[in-house]
Amino acid sequence: MEPVEIERLLRKFKSAAKEMAGYPLNQLFNYSKLSQFYKYHINNLGDPFVGGFYYRINTHEIERKVISRFAKLFHAPKDDFWGYVTTGGTEGNFYGLYVARELFPDGVVFYSDQTHYSIPKSLKILRMKSVEVKSQPNGEIDYQKLEDALRNAKTPPILLANIGTTMKGAIDDVVKIKAILKRLGIEKYYIHCDAAFFGMILPFYKEAECSHYDFQAGIDSIAISGHKMIGTPYPCGVVLTKKSNLKSIGSQIEYTNSTDNTITGSRNGLSPLFLWHELRSSREENLLKKVKRSVKLAAYAVEAFKKKGIEAWRNPNSIIVIFPKPSEKTIRKWQLAVQGDIAHIITIPHVSKKIIDVIVSSVAKDLKRAKKGKNPPKGSLLP
Ligand SMILES: *Cc1c(COP(=O)(O)O)cnc(C)c1O
């Protein structure tokens, strides 16, 4: 690449990274120590829990540490968990559904209308039948409607629980879902959690009740994105499942001397290094601090909006702040996420109070102008 091209791109990213408040992609990190590893092709192909590969330039050892850390955080059974570092939340969701389908080939997937688009896409690829269930105004699945839908289930249901929906940061309560299954006398089922964003936040936040979506609550698998809260230079993630769920997945490959039970063959061996850099126990305090700061900043943002007379809100423990959709110009400037009449900001580590203040005053101006305009906004958008 020409030096001028490099310069131009770096300048563009430097300014854009400062003006990004709508997507869960933390820009504040420093992995410069790890650049020494760029000299090698690190490839984690195969099952990280199986040794004896012919290709030795891998970080399986570190990958196992990352997986074990998450297994512990989500209270997976000590002798019955398995997982690997993925390309991101999407692959984790796909994998969870794949495992479920192998266990229950005619199972029907139940998910709420707030579910991330990676789920319907995976269902299409996997050719799985599904039922979409309406959500409550706060973004959580409507449990009554779920119960009504499950009542007609003729095959083992596969439940998709959102642990932090993309737009509203709502959590589907696995304990409540289990109670419904029990009431209906359904004994065979599978629960997959999409914790792509919140999976790197809630376990580190003592106030958040992990027992409503961990393995002890009865989940079978969970997908987490690595790059969102922690922040990495490229996407990655983690998928965790009970080992006993894998009965019909994986085959022995002579060519690599390994077990093939991941989606891709070659896998990025740098990702476990980036994740472990932030997850190792000496950095725990730092993670806690980051999470606490983000939650505090979200509370601050809600208040700042309210002070300007704007109806803003967030779900409990969520760092996603929802408010009425502002002008296209404000959306573009701050790279905001929108859906229908609402927009949101996410108070991830690189977002500062100062940025919040600037966004709040831009939104206030936009909404004032809109009120006077031809199509004033309709009633309240509060849940
Ligand atoms: C980001 C996200 C995904 C997709 O994850 P990728 O890492 O972008 O593939 C899925 N579900 C939720 C709730 C997310 O926030």
Side-chain angles (χ1 to χ4, degrees), residues 10-20 335:
L10 283 174
R11 260 202 314 277
K12 174 177 144 179
F13 295 155
K14 196 172 172 187
S15 73
K18 279 192 206 134
E19 296 177 339
M20 205 290 287
Q335 305 173 62

Side-chain angles (χ1 to χ4, degrees), residues 30 37 71 80 121 243 267 272 295 303 345 356:
N30 185 350
F37 290 102
D80 187 21
K121 176 170 60 190
K243 205 174 164 188
R267 294 191 301 110
V295 176
E303 287 313 309
I345 51 174
I356 301 281

Side-chain angles (χ1 to χ4, degrees), residues 333-350:
K333 160 98 179 160
W334 294 103
Q335 305 173 62
L336 301 181
V338 296
Q339 185 183 75
D341 295 333
I342 60 171
H344 77 205
I345 51 174
I346 305 187
T347 53
I348 25 176
H350 74 268

Side-chain angles (χ1 to χ4, degrees), residues 356-376:
I356 301 281
D357 290 341
V358 176
I359 295 176
V360 168
S361 72
S362 296
V363 174
K365 268 186 216 143
D366 289 348
L367 296 180
K368 214 177 255 169
R369 214 173 294 133
K371 246 185 214 160
K372 286 187 206 144
K374 269 193 234 142
N375 298 309

Side-chain angles (χ1 to χ4, degrees), residues 69 73 204 206 278-289:
R69 177 85 204 274
L73 285 169
F204 307 109
K206 293 203 172 59
E278 292 305 297
L279 287 165
R280 69 208 145 100
S281 52
S282 57
R283 296 281 288 174
E284 193 154 330
E285 272 304 304
N286 188 56
L287 259 174
L288 263 170
K289 249 195 259 165

